[in-house]
């Protein structure tokens, strides 16, 4: 797949991720840990979710850039900007244009959760397998993992670092009143492996087509 096609797929996938984040919040089951934290901080600072997420990611971007710029790329910028503002637009559109501010029915919320979560995972897998760089939030995990292995002189499993990282973010999000739900907690353990599995299946399908 050429660069332009991968770039377009990346941009579409991060926008879809933003839409999904907004809808996951509406289910009251909670979004991913990073989004849960940023929703809480946006509320505290009086900024929109998209604006706070962009500011948060810019800070992380500078840090990662200074440590290892090879982890960054166009996909990093796409995630930094588009996910948050796509979520803001979706929240505005659903609330102000469609007039839906919450989903009351538990059955409807569960169905909505399953559908939206599936779309979110596929979109995230496409984004992460685009080869155009990772989000600063995710890139930071690689830096922490590398530092811990070097410091302890042991090969620490990456998933242990990732789970610990997301768990800490979730706890902070909960303490500041972020959008933490049951799904946020489950995502700490399940999101990474699920996205990796979907990514591998997508790679196999692409290989067969070639």
């Amino acid at each position: 797949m050429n660069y332009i096609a991968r770039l377009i797929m990346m941009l579409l996938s991060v926008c879809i991720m933003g839409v999904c984040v907004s809808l996951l919040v509406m289910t009251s089951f909670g979004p991913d840990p990073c989004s849960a934290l940023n929703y809480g901080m946006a509320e505290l600072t009086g900024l929109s979710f998209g604006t706070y997420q962009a500011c948060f990611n810019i800070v992380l971007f500078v840090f990662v850039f200074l440590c290892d710029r090879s982890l960054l790329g166009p996909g990093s910028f796409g995630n930094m900007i588009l996910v948050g503002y796509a979520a803001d637009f979706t929240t505005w559109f659903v609330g102000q244009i469609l007039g839906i501010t919450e989903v009351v029915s538990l059955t409807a919320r569960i169905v909505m959760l399953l559908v939206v979560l599936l779309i979110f995972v596929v979109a995230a897998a496409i984004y992460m397998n685009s080869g155009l760089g990772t989000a600063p939030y995710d890139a930071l995990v690689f830096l922490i993992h590398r530092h811990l292995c070097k410091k302890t002189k042991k090969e620490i499993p990456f998933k242990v670092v990732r789970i610990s990282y997301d768990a800490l973010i979730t706890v902070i999000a909960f303490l500041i009143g972020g959008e933490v739900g049951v799904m946020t907690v489950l995502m700490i353990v399940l999101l990474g492996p699920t996205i990796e599995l979907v990514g591998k299946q997508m790679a196999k399908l692409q290989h067969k087509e070639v």
Side-chain angles (χ1 to χ4, degrees):
M1 188 179 294
N2 62 45
Y3 179 82
I4 298 300
R6 289 189 293 122
L7 182 63
I8 293 173
M9 287 184 64
M10 179 275 293
L11 293 173
L12 287 175
S13 64
V14 293
C15 287
I16 292 172
M17 286 169 64
V19 173
C20 291
V21 166
S22 174
L23 296 179
L24 284 172
V25 170
M26 286 187 63
T27 66
S28 298
F29 290 115
D32 60 282
C34 180
S35 297
L37 172 67
N38 288 338
Y39 267 108
M41 291 302 298
E43 184 70 25
L44 290 177
T45 58
L47 299 173
S48 71
F49 171 69
T51 299
Y52 178 81
Q53 177 138 310
C55 294
F56 174 72
N57 275 300
I58 288 172
V59 173
L60 295 183
F61 179 90
V62 172
F63 179 79
V64 174
F65 181 83
L66 293 174
C67 294
D68 186 356
R69 64 189 68 180
S70 68
L71 294 170
L72 304 171
S76 306
F77 290 102
N79 186 285
M80 287 167 60
I81 306 298
L82 296 179
V83 171
Y85 285 116
D88 280 350
F89 175 78
T90 302
T91 300
W92 170 81
F93 183 81
V94 173
Q96 300 299 317
I97 304 302
L98 300 183
I100 303 172
T101 56
E102 63 177 338
V103 182
V104 179
S105 169
L106 178 60
T107 301
R109 285 166 54 208
I110 292 175
V111 172
M112 183 176 171
L113 168 69
L114 296 175
V115 173
V116 172
L117 190 59
L118 175 62
I119 296 173
F120 177 84
V121 169
V122 173
I126 293 173
Y127 155 69
M128 291 183 177
N129 287 278
S130 67
L132 297 175
T134 59
Y137 176 87
D138 297 315
L140 188 58
V141 187
F142 289 101
L143 293 178
I144 294 173
H145 176 252
R146 187 187 306 166
H147 175 75
L148 289 175
C149 289
K150 184 178 180 180
K151 195 76 173 178
T152 61
K153 296 181 180 179
K154 296 179 180 179
E155 186 56 40
I156 302 172
F158 178 79
K159 65 180 180 180
V160 172
V161 178
R162 179 71 203 220
I163 290 173
S164 301
Y165 178 74
D166 283 338
L168 175 61
I169 294 299
T170 301
V171 170
I172 296 173
F174 176 77
L175 293 175
I176 65 173
E179 296 289 345
V180 177
V182 175
M183 188 49 60
T184 308
V185 177
L186 290 177
M187 281 187 180
I188 294 173
V189 178
L190 300 178
L191 185 59
T194 303
I195 289 176
E196 182 180 2
L197 177 62
V198 173
K200 288 180 179 179
Q201 294 304 315
M202 291 172 56
K204 287 181 181 179
L205 289 175
Q206 289 178 354
H207 182 70
K208 287 181 180 179
E209 291 176 359
V210 174

